[in-house]
Amino acid sequence: MNKLGILSASVMLALSAPAALAKVTDAEAAKLGTELTPLGGVKAGNADGSIPAWDGGITSAIAGYEKGMHHPDPFPQDKIEFTITNANKDKYKAHLTDGQRKLFELYPDTYKMNVYQTRRTASVPQFVYDATKANATRAELVSEGNGVKGASIGVPFPMPENGLEVIWNHVLRFRGVDVETSRSQAAPTASGSYTLVETAEEIRFQYSRPEITLDKLNASNTLFYFKQVVTQPARLAGTALLVKETMDQEALPRQAWTYNTGQRRVRKAPNVAFDTPGSVSDGLRTTDDFDMFNGSPVRYNWELIGKQEVYIPYNDYKLHSDKLEYDQIIHPGHVNPELVRWEKHRVWVVKAQLKEGMRHIYKTRTFYIDEDSWQVSLADIYDNRDELYRVAFAHAINYYEVPTHWTTLEVFHDLQSRRYIAMGLDNEGRMYNFDAKLSEANFTPAALRRAGIR
């Protein structure tokens, strides 16, 4: 038993597992929906009852909700069970990451974690569960882990046997089909002042479409299309990005284009990947930090450490509320801790170690992935001196009209500059539109130029 509390012998064997493994048998896949959740989490609660059994998650919208609204909290009656501070953090160290403990040390007077009862609300539509069971017996890694085949719609590896399979589960998790968002981000200075950057985004998830077939996916080699246009502030308005993400990045790497308002030209952007600074991020995150991790995993060796019970942001409906203004969220040093809900959940722990000869500003990344949704919930990130460099949190809710478990806010803390960037702010804007009808014609260089013209 190591310090992370390995839960099963099969996970221990995975430490030395090769990148590509045989698909699971029909008998093993039959565990999905019985002793395992349909996506592969442990259905039962934990030994002391602090993590309950999964009972299907939220499967319908709560009373009073209508599409287009911000999502009311399904649990407004829940009270804080206890609060972790710098003074008592050692009492809870078994369930805290290095990054969380570091934030207590950096902000001892203001940073805290309000912990609530655990509610396993993650859920997706039935067609995603069905596809996940089918994927379990046919999906496999290709191109030395730089791609996946034999999977569509659902999680490819619900019973993972190595770290690469886990990270691909995150990359390919269900987040809807066609989605339009209007989101903002803020990168406050040490004093808390910031300029709000507003973006309009469109995403067409080719992989997740109910009608998609393996043949169509193989032919197109497309995971999703993504278009982002900056709408505010005025000096950046019209700056635009287009990405075509591929399933097999060895066969065809990510395709990307940018539109520059000054030049009024669309340019191919092959460098929109890996550790290139993220769009309008003030240098506080990398391109592959977006969505906690995205893109090709080729520069890292991925080690599956096991499972751990950790306090992660979950059911963050209070942070999601349209009753809040951004100034109530963005505080010096960190977001307002009174608005964040922490819960104890089981997570997969995966360590990414930079390969010899590869370049990236991050040498090591430890990801903590929610077992019920495959959402990366936390990340501890180390620089090339092996010092803790950045800490990332994904504040997630169940968008119950879909349903899908996805972030309402992503926060990346840069420990060296003592700054952070909060991405996905939507409290003062329009809610995500999961009923968008987006065609491939929305995602061409010509469409990018039209979107970028002010």
Side-chain angles (χ1 to χ4, degrees), residues 37-38 42-45 52-59 75 118-123 129 372:
T37 73
V42 175
K43 202 169 188 179
W54 183 82
D55 62 1
I58 298 178
T59 56
F75 316 110
T118 298
R119 294 188 179 272
R120 297 175 68 179
T121 53
S123 62
Y129 293 143
D372 290 336

Side-chain angles (χ1 to χ4, degrees), residues 255-297:
Q255 307 292 290
W257 298 261
T258 58
Y259 177 79
N260 183 286
T261 55
Q263 298 175 342
R264 300 179 70 84
R265 293 182 60 186
V266 172
R267 292 183 178 273
K268 198 78 179 289
N271 292 327
V272 177
F274 301 112
D275 59 354
T276 301
S279 303
V280 290
S281 67
D282 219 5
L284 294 173
R285 69 165 180 88
T286 61
T287 294
D288 62 8
D289 276 330
F290 190 87
D291 195 35
M292 300 299 283
F293 180 81
N294 74 89
S296 169

